[in-house]
Amino acid sequence: MITFNQVKVKFGILCLIGAMTWACGGNDSTADPEPDPVTKDRQALLTNLADNIIVPAYANFKTKLDVMLAKSQAFSTKPDAGTLAEFRQAWADAYVEWQKVELFDVGPANKVAMRNYFNIYPVSVSGINEYIADPTINLEVTASFDKQGFPALDYLLNGVGTTDAQIVAYYTAPTEGPKRLAYIKRITDHMNALITKVTGDWKDTYRTEFTTKTGLDIGSPMGQLVNGYVLYYERFIRSGKFGIPSGAMLNGVAAAEKVEGFYKKDLSKQLAQAAHQAAVDFFNGKGVTTGKEGPSFKTYLTALGAKDSSTGMSLADIINKQFDAANQKISVLKPNLYEEVKTNNAAMVAVYTEMQKAVRMLKVDMTSAMSIVITYTDNDGD
């Protein structure tokens, strides 16, 4: 932050009053420091992201999750084709909405590692069965990540049978059925507890901390936010949704079974699109409720005068142009990304390639312009 130097003014005034001479000396005065324009931009950026994107997006997600919880309870009370269909739809709706908040890996969500409990895939089927058999196994450990959250529900709603009748029979089995339903309640309760804590912390104290601490150090909200954003785009969208299933990050060996939403399958493109668009909107400061753009990474880069060294174009404009290129590649994919890997994998690789270009811009050019240090590591050569 730039501060004004203290200005010391010394007044020498000769005062002649009769036979007396007064030497009148001035006192030191200090002007109150004011933030420079770029720092003001950071505070406006953080305020807009908190009030118009993060907090309302969490509220929207909590609403969808509450519906899912209600449908889950209805299914547990009376497992049949109707309650299964309603639970499955509510799960899909909440899963899509989750894609719009998963990138907020800062503050409360980072502290409780919420992403790891909500969306680590592929799931461990054997692990889920082990947890069903033993309800005392701790869900709050690293080993539990791939046995809960939305991917586990994907398996439990779509993968335990090939027809709805078979799935209902899985939960109405006299001995094992109640244990299976109990596990659904256990993991959905855990999801609810986590999001309730995160949203509560934002409302209680973290919003003030987030919007007033405008530094760029590693532990600052801005430093953590930018690191979390770039990490999410690189590792969880580019790699998780496209690079790994297509084999682009596995020496060309495709792994269709590693797509997100593997058991539902035809939801996978929708999940990826929602996640990518949320990242784009966040970069541009697009309000969740109003749809209007406000202070953001884009406006901050503009305030910094960040430009591409080779073309002289605005860095923010170039990043948005690359986002558009990736979106275009995603849009031509069919809804079932599992089948795309199997039958049209070149299109999946093409998405990865366009997103990789955006990763370099975000991870190198953007963070350099912002003077923010990347604190996470990745081994793919970026």
Side-chain angles (χ1 to χ4, degrees), residues 332-373:
V332 300
L333 297 172
K334 295 182 177 65
N336 186 333
L337 297 188
Y338 175 87
E339 287 300 325
E340 287 292 80
V341 172
K342 291 289 190 179
T343 63
N344 189 29
N345 198 37
M348 290 283 288
V349 174
V351 174
Y352 168 83
T353 300
E354 293 300 335
M355 293 190 69
Q356 173 65 8
K357 297 174 185 176
V359 166
R360 293 193 184 101
M361 294 174 185
L362 296 171
K363 192 175 182 180
V364 179
D365 300 334
M366 182 179 81
T367 58
S368 177
M370 292 179 172
S371 300
I372 289 177
V373 177

Side-chain angles (χ1 to χ4, degrees), residues 191-207:
M191 294 169 76
N192 187 45
L194 287 169
I195 189 61
T196 298
K197 176 171 177 50
V198 168
T199 55
D201 286 351
W202 268 96
K203 292 176 182 177
D204 289 344
T205 59
Y206 188 70
R207 187 263 174 202

Side-chain angles (χ1 to χ4, degrees), residues 71 75 80-91 157 164 168:
K71 297 300 182 182
F75 176 70
D80 60 26
T83 55
L84 172 63
E86 291 181 357
F87 182 14
R88 182 185 288 137
Q89 184 59 57
W91 161 81
L157 287 172
D164 283 2
V168 170

